[in-house]
Amino acid sequence: MSSASFALSAGAYLRGLVELAIAAGAIAYGAVELRRLLLPGWTGAPARLVEVVLWSAGMLLVSELIGTFGHFQRGWFLAVSILGGVGAGLLARSRARAANPSPSASPPAPPAAAIAKILALVIVTGLTAAWVIPTLGSIAAGMDRADTMWYHLPLAARFVQTGHLGSIFFFDPVFFASFYPANSEVFHSIGMLFFGRDILSPFVNDGWLIVALLSCYCIGRPYGAGPQALIGGSVALGAQMLVEFQAGEGLNDITGVAFFLAAAAILANAYATRKKALTPEGRPASGVGSEPGAPGIPPEGRSRIHASHRPRVHAADVLRAPHPPLPAVVMAGLAAGLAAGVKLSFLPIVAAMTVGVVWMAGKGRRRRAALAWSIPMLVGGSYWYLRNLFAVGNPIPEIHHLGPIAMPAPIRDFSLRPGFSVFHYATDTRVWSDWFAPGLHDSLGLLWPVTVIGIFAISAYALWRGRDPILRLLGRVAGFAAVVYIFTPFTAAGVEGEPIGFIWNLRYLAPSVALAFALLPCLPAFVGTPARRARALLAVFVLAGFTIGSLVQWQQGHLKGALAAAAVVAVGGMVIAAAGLRGIRWDAIRPSRWAAALVLIAAVAVAGGYEVQKRYMQHRYEDAGSVPDLAGAFAWVRGVHDSRIALAGVRGIFTQYAFYGPDLSNDVQWLGHQTAHDGYARIASCDAWYRAVNEGRYRYVVATHDPYDPGTLTTTPESRWTGADPNARLVLTEGPLHIFEVQGPLDPSNCTGQHRLSQHQLHGVPDPTNPQ
């Protein structure tokens, strides 16, 4: 069967699209009604952000519920989504009517300057083009980043193939990715579930980019600096460290960043419902909290503040944290939990945010705040850690000790490279000049020193003179996230003196950069007067502009498609702006006109999506992209389906996903054996390898390369073992790559003379003294 034939027919495409739309729409209905019940006065961007968080949690919880019992299947997902989403929506709607809430609790929405909106549109247009280029690259050839093919999308495909989310899937002896949290991968698997293909996966991270931008805007909105904060967050969102590894791929950093920023934004708007920002002269800032019904600072809190160019607050004048509506704290905690369920690196910064929220609540309210925050946080992020706890006895099996307490955890025998942190090279000037400085320049652009210093400067200023308690909290979290990055393992991975992993893992710094520069326009030094706002706008626009302008994506082709997408965004922004200038109220437009516009947009999107998926399925992994050493294997597997495939070799660990085939029907397994505490290790002997192949009833064995470094590829011992049996027919050889078709049971007696793997090989390091 040719790869082109795996493109969905019009009927299958429409069926998957309609069913997914029904399921997602039902949960969206429940999310909107729940937001109206819990935060009835919230409107505009903050309301939409809360609804996105609720919708994301709903999609995830439905998947976890049915997947825990092995029913992660199309019909079950559709049924539970309809019942849960519509049921929750109707219940919330009835309770909201009975409560008859007052609409006066809307967060303040001070006007932003027209020039700020224009520059924000310029940045968003540039971001769109930058992210579309790699997305079009993935559509043209397939998603080929190592992490995408190593565990992100293999996990998503396993969820769909098995129907289970709660099982531990063993496929990685290097980093134990089997135990990683997988909130992001679930969203990829939902698309696979309804289409039987990964046609939505290249676009998933583009959706999270939109959520992250919305969150940045909402952070600045209570201070009249929404567009400025959006531009500030783009310093991270438009940096090479994210665009290169996230756009059009299955990596999950942007997912965690989006939810982390959403938590910060909801908190910022929650506290804005209880107080007004002050100018340095002690008056309410222009437009901030000035709407009718917006609560202000009580008279006893308005102490005299000296007028100066530097907003100075005496100890006696410090404003105490107001008490935000608990439902908003609940929503922020849910968003933080969703981030913690995406990636381990978000755990410490979510913990820091948790401590800050509870402490800021004040005496007598901390227990209530802790419950309002922590329970939804656990709902959003604890599933994978509980799974590990039940399976291994340890929620994070990568941690062997909790203080003096020994934790059950698998032992990792296989080591690809030392997992040094950036702190390991804190005083090594050679590494800084040869690796860190060039890596920062490539990842953050020409003005990278400004970005790095700015993180700590913004954090320190927010903590020192933030005046607003929520600014102090978020500034503290941004600084803490940067410090955590410095000490995080693998941020400078590589052999001693050669931290090859530094530039790849700079993306772990993205949450700190995004939050810090989204906060910059909200700080007292940049609000209160037009001149101060102009300085903030200029600073973030120049920095974001240099960052986006220095991307290597501009030299990678697909410029026409990127410019077309950017033009759509630009025209849309200008239409909205023109409507605002003419005084058109969106809520005054007749429903029939809204319906006609939506039908037209949907028709164009559906027709375009159909053509895109045909092109994608025709060329998916036709070009091996960043893994040219497996070009022959990728071409071969395009014609293989409904087969069990065993992978071997270090290279095979990081290229697993391509072997699932265009229709994701192949059962793929990097073949090893389980060890204590659900560890996974390489098989050491020929007879054990034969037994594993026979027990797994594999039709094909794909023996890739050792080691991972493409410059020194060698044939794997598993290739020699498999080829020693006459029932293993060689169907493809390309350098050290060998693919065998297993035509009958492998006989251990044919292992005579075959060497066991040496300790060097078991640990992932070739032994030059043992040629096997």
Side-chain angles (χ1 to χ4, degrees):
M1 185 180 294
S2 69
S3 180
S5 66
F6 285 109
L8 293 172
S9 66
Y13 172 75
L14 287 174
R15 178 193 172 193
L17 195 63
V18 169
E19 290 182 349
L20 178 58
I22 291 172
I27 293 177
Y29 169 73
V32 171
E33 294 299 334
L34 277 173
R35 195 276 307 160
R36 288 174 175 169
L37 171 66
L38 297 173
L39 296 167
W42 283 40
T43 59
R48 302 295 82 78
L49 181 60
V50 171
E51 290 160 3
V52 168
V53 169
L54 283 168
W55 177 84
S56 302
M59 296 287 282
L60 188 65
L61 290 174
V62 168
S63 302
E64 292 171 350
L65 175 63
I66 61 178
T68 298
F69 301 100
H71 296 304
F72 186 66
Q73 298 160 357
R74 195 171 184 162
W76 276 96
F77 192 97
L78 187 60
V80 174
S81 296
I82 294 172
L83 290 174
V86 175
L90 292 175
L91 179 61
R93 189 181 183 91
S94 64
R95 295 197 63 178
R97 286 178 176 175
N100 190 25
S102 168
S104 63
S106 178
I115 186 63
K117 296 178 181 179
I118 293 172
L119 295 182
L121 180 60
V122 171
I123 290 296
V124 170
T125 300
L127 267 181
T128 300
W131 278 67
V132 164
I133 289 173
T135 302
L136 292 177
S138 292
I139 292 170
M143 296 165 282
D144 61 2
R145 283 290 170 190
D147 286 15
T148 295
M149 304 177 74
W150 157 37
Y151 80 93
H152 291 294
L153 293 190
L155 267 180
R158 286 287 186 95
F159 293 157
V160 175
Q161 288 181 344
T162 66
H164 286 274
L165 265 68
S167 301
I168 304 293
F169 298 108
F170 299 97
F171 57 87
D172 169 27
V174 181
F175 297 108
F176 290 155
S178 304
F179 302 107
Y180 288 177
N183 277 4
S184 180
E185 289 71 25
V186 169
F187 288 96
H188 287 277
S189 68
I190 291 172
M192 297 175 183
L193 192 65
F194 282 93
F195 291 104
R197 309 286 189 275
D198 59 3
I199 59 175
L200 293 185
S201 289
F203 305 99
V204 168
N205 281 351
D206 295 338
W208 296 127
L209 171 67
I210 296 172
V211 177
L213 288 170
L214 175 62
S215 299
C216 290
Y217 175 86
C218 289
I219 287 173
R221 184 177 180 271
Y223 303 91
Q228 294 93 322
L230 183 151
I231 296 171
S234 298
V235 173
L237 302 175
Q240 189 72 36
M241 62 182 180
L242 283 187
V243 178
E244 180 177 358
F245 295 101
Q246 310 297 309
E249 291 288 341
L251 280 78
N252 57 8
D253 300 86
I254 184 61
T255 315
V257 169
F259 286 131
F260 169 69
L261 291 174
I266 295 171
L267 284 176
N269 283 269
Y271 281 90
T273 65
R274 299 300 186 186
K275 72 178 291 294
K276 297 178 183 179
L278 296 181
T279 67
E281 291 76 22
R283 296 190 299 269
S286 175
V288 180
S290 59
E291 296 82 4
I297 299 174
E300 61 269 22
R302 299 177 182 170
S303 303
R304 177 179 298 176
I305 302 178
H306 297 292
S308 68
H309 292 292
R310 294 184 305 164
R312 186 175 181 84
V313 182
H314 294 290
D317 299 326
V318 172
L319 301 175
R320 293 187 177 277
H323 305 302
L326 280 180
V329 177
V330 169
M331 293 299 99
L334 180 62
L338 291 172
V342 167
K343 200 176 185 75
L344 291 173
S345 58
F346 285 93
L347 281 178
I349 55 180
V350 167
M353 189 177 283
T354 302
V355 172
V357 168
V358 174
W359 177 259
M360 197 164 57
K363 291 183 179 179
R365 293 178 177 266
R366 287 178 181 146
R367 179 178 298 178
R368 190 178 180 188
L371 291 174
W373 172 275
S374 300
I375 292 176
M377 181 184 68
L378 292 174
V379 169
S382 66
Y383 181 84
W384 312 103
Y385 304 101
L386 290 174
R387 176 201 64 177
N388 294 343
L389 181 63
F390 283 111
V392 184
N394 184 348
I396 309 176
E398 291 83 355
I399 297 177
H400 289 241
H401 292 86
L402 187 62
I405 303 174
M407 304 283 287
I411 297 175
R412 189 175 73 193
D413 289 328
F414 198 104
S415 178
L416 188 64
R417 61 179 64 93
F420 296 127
S421 68
V422 168
F423 182 75
H424 178 77
Y425 295 108
T427 59
D428 192 327
T429 56
R430 187 192 64 81
V431 167
W432 274 92
S433 61
D434 293 349
W435 293 88
F436 288 178
L440 288 164
H441 180 277
D442 292 345
S443 297
L444 296 175
L446 179 65
L447 300 181
W448 69 264
V450 177
T451 303
V452 173
I453 295 172
I455 299 170
F456 298 99
I458 293 167
S459 175
Y461 183 88
L463 183 60
W464 180 35
R465 292 187 174 178
R467 191 171 63 227
D468 192 337
I470 189 61
L471 290 181
R472 295 199 296 271
L473 167 62
L474 296 180
R476 185 183 297 113
V477 171
F480 179 76
V483 173
V484 166
Y485 161 78
I486 294 171
F487 291 92
T488 298
F490 294 99
T491 49
V495 298
E496 183 71 43
E498 298 181 8
I500 190 173
F502 174 75
I503 193 168
W504 303 334
N505 293 332
L506 255 173
R507 52 200 163 94
Y508 295 169
L509 191 60
S512 178
V513 177
L515 180 57
F517 285 94
L519 286 177
L520 176 64
C522 310
L523 297 175
F526 299 108
V527 297
T529 67
R532 291 179 180 181
R533 293 181 184 278
R535 286 199 294 268
L537 177 61
L538 179 62
V540 292
F541 181 77
V542 169
L543 187 56
F546 270 94
T547 302
I548 297 171
S550 64
L551 293 170
V552 300
Q553 274 66 37
W554 305 123
Q555 287 82 43
Q556 291 182 346
H558 303 290
L559 276 178
K560 290 182 180 178
L563 291 175
V568 170
V569 171
V571 170
M574 288 187 287
V575 168
I576 294 172
L581 290 174
R582 297 185 60 181
I584 297 176
R585 292 179 55 196
W586 299 104
D587 56 359
I589 298 176
R590 285 184 294 184
S592 60
R593 293 186 177 181
W594 273 117
L598 290 175
V599 168
L600 177 62
I601 293 172
V604 172
V606 169
Y610 178 65
E611 292 301 319
V612 167
Q613 69 89 22
K614 286 200 301 184
R615 175 177 174 79
Y616 175 61
M617 294 307 300
Q618 180 181 358
H619 299 289
R620 182 180 181 275
Y621 296 122
E622 186 177 56
D623 179 354
S626 64
V627 282
D629 49 287
L630 291 184
F634 285 6
W636 165 80
V637 82
R638 281 160 55 84
V640 177
H641 60 99
D642 295 316
S643 297
R644 292 178 61 79
I645 301 176
L647 296 181
V650 180
R651 189 62 159 158
I653 297 171
F654 301 99
T655 54
Q656 298 183 46
Y657 183 62
F659 294 98
Y660 280 79
D663 60 350
L664 306 179
S665 65
N666 294 328
D667 188 341
V668 180
Q669 178 67 58
W670 193 90
L671 198 54
H673 69 97
Q674 285 184 240
T675 60
H677 304 300
D678 281 337
Y680 202 59
R682 197 171 188 178
I683 295 173
S685 65
C686 175
D687 56 344
W689 174 257
Y690 279 16
R691 286 195 299 271
V693 172
N694 292 337
E695 290 171 2
R697 303 186 306 279
Y698 293 103
R699 181 180 178 186
Y700 296 103
V701 172
V702 178
T704 60
H705 319 319
D706 286 340
Y708 180 67
D709 181 5
T712 55
L713 300 175
T714 60
T715 302
T716 63
E718 292 90 337
S719 174
R720 301 179 186 182
W721 297 341
T722 306
D725 193 289
N727 280 334
R729 182 178 69 91
L730 184 65
V731 297
L732 177 67
T733 180
E734 185 176 12
L737 168 74
H738 295 84
I739 299 178
F740 301 91
E741 182 180 10
V742 181
Q743 299 177 321
L746 303 182
D747 185 354
S749 65
N750 291 314
C751 287
T752 303
Q754 296 293 332
H755 295 280
R756 293 176 58 88
L757 266 66
S758 68
Q759 290 300 308
H760 289 80
Q761 291 166 327
L762 286 173
H763 286 79
V765 181
D767 182 3
T769 66
N770 181 12
Q772 308 152 31

